Every structure is written in C-alpha cells, then in structure tokens.
Amino acid sequence: GYEHGLSVEQTLERNKEFFLPLLERAEKYGLNVLVENFNKMHVEGTYWIDNATDLLRLIELVDHPLFHAVWDVGHANLQEMPQDEEMSMLGSHIKALHIQDNMGDKDRHLAPFLGTMNMDSVMCGLRDIGYDGYFTFEVGGFFTPADKRRIYSGSTRLASAPIELRHAFERYLYELGKCILEKYDCFGKMR
C-alpha cells in the first residue's frame, strides 16, 4: 500500500482499491480484514499510514463492515504518540493488538518494560474504548538468532537458545501479560 511519489490522498485511494476486492472474498467467509498503524519510516517522498488519524481516514474511506484496525503499540511508541488518545480516535475499530516495546528508535519487538513504551497509556486507552479482544504479544527480540552471534567451532550446544529457555520465556510473557491485565482489572475480560 505504499509507493514513492504518492500523496496522502493517493496512498489512501490506492489502499482502498487494494482492499475492496479482498473484502469481497472476506465476506464469503465472514472474516475481518485488519490494517495496522505502520512504524515510522523516513523515506523521502513516500507516505506511510502511521497514525490513528490517517488509519481512521482509510477505514472510513473503504467503508466496509469487515474492515477495521489492529493497533501496534510499538509502532505508536516509535511515533511518540499518546497511545490512549490515538486509540480513542479509532475506538471500536480496534479489533486486535500487537503488544511490543522498543527504545523509540527501531521496531525491536521487545517485551513490555524492556523499552520506552508507557503501558499505562496503552491500558487506559484500551479500557476507555472498551476493548475486549485478544491481548497479543508481538515479541521476537529476546533471543538473538544463532546466525547473528560470533561463530565458535568447538561446540554448538548453545548456538541457539535451548528449548527450555524458550519455554521459560513464553511462561514469563504469560505472567507479564496477566500482571498487566490484573493491574487494570482486565484479566479474563480480554481474550
């Protein structure tokens, strides 16, 4: 949905042209099609839909009952946006979440509290719009892949993080999510 040299209006119209045929197929199966706020990109002459205002403009332009938003809190953190205000603009159009953190410089997909994102702003925004969907982590930056580490030919037993550590990290993410949701009395109210 992004092409060099297009204006904001042309970008929105091009995206509408892309999504309408997709939505016709989605109708056959009762599926929602979600579009997310993109992360900040600074490519001269290219516009990215990276905020709630333009995301809402696209949703309203497409004007289809199965077309909504997935809110990526890490992308919003890159934009230094007040999450609660941005989510308030989209309201019930938010049907899914990408919960991930970063240091405000790159889309790192860290677990919450390992970056600069303000979880209170996120949770207040979700509470204010009555969000009851999935609280989904989009976290992948915990273990560095083996091909990114220095090579050692003597042994490879720890070339990749052992499966038991990966399982422990997944249990940690569950506890982290549960703690966040309990602090806002949402555990069991979101999926």
Side-chain angles (χ1 to χ4, degrees):
Y2 307 100
E3 187 177 318
H4 185 74
L6 296 182
S7 68
V8 174
E9 288 72 27
Q10 290 170 318
T11 299
L12 294 171
E13 193 58 44
R14 180 76 56 92
N15 274 273
K16 177 182 177 180
E17 291 168 10
F18 171 81
F19 282 114
L20 285 177
L22 191 63
L23 285 158
E24 285 179 29
R25 271 192 85 92
E27 287 173 2
K28 292 168 81 172
Y29 304 101
L31 299 173
N32 285 309
V33 174
L34 307 179
V35 63
E36 82 177 275
N37 54 310
F38 205 68
N39 61 3
K40 74 177 173 184
M41 301 287 286
H42 297 290
V43 178
E44 190 66 36
T46 304
Y47 173 75
W48 308 89
I49 298 171
D50 59 10
N51 60 73
T53 301
D54 289 343
L55 193 53
L56 183 59
R57 283 179 65 193
L58 176 61
I59 290 168
E60 290 174 345
L61 179 67
V62 172
D63 191 28
H64 193 284
L66 297 176
F67 191 62
H68 301 286
V70 54
W71 187 251
D72 189 308
V73 301
H75 291 177
N77 189 57
L78 288 169
Q79 300 292 93
E80 300 179 19
M81 296 176 173
Q83 304 262 359
D84 57 335
E85 293 173 22
E86 294 288 305
M87 285 189 260
S88 178
M89 256 186 263
L90 291 165
S92 64
H93 284 296
I94 297 177
K95 300 295 185 190
L97 299 171
H98 288 171
I99 302 293
Q100 53 117 340
D101 206 344
N102 56 60
M103 301 304 291
D105 57 349
K106 286 198 242 178
D107 195 20
R108 296 178 187 262
H109 297 97
L110 301 172
F113 304 109
L114 296 179
T116 60
M117 180 186 58
N118 187 304
M119 275 308 300
D120 287 310
S121 180
V122 170
M123 293 307 298
C124 286
L126 294 173
R127 181 195 59 207
D128 292 350
I129 66 170
Y131 180 80
D132 64 355
Y134 290 101
F135 191 79
T136 308
F137 287 112
E138 186 185 27
V139 175
F142 194 76
F143 296 110
T144 302
D147 65 343
K148 301 291 185 200
R149 280 195 236 104
R150 289 181 175 73
I151 296 172
Y152 175 68
S153 59
S155 177
T156 59
R157 284 177 272 185
L158 296 173
S160 294
I163 193 70
E164 54 269 29
L165 292 181
R166 292 171 190 255
H167 289 166
F169 180 64
E170 289 175 9
R171 287 190 302 276
Y172 165 76
L173 282 178
Y174 173 82
E175 292 301 324
L176 178 64
K178 181 180 176 188
C179 179
I180 290 168
L181 294 171
E182 285 178 344
K183 294 289 182 189
Y184 279 86
D185 195 30
C186 295
F187 188 72
K189 295 177 184 170
M190 290 186 197
R191 294 178 245 166

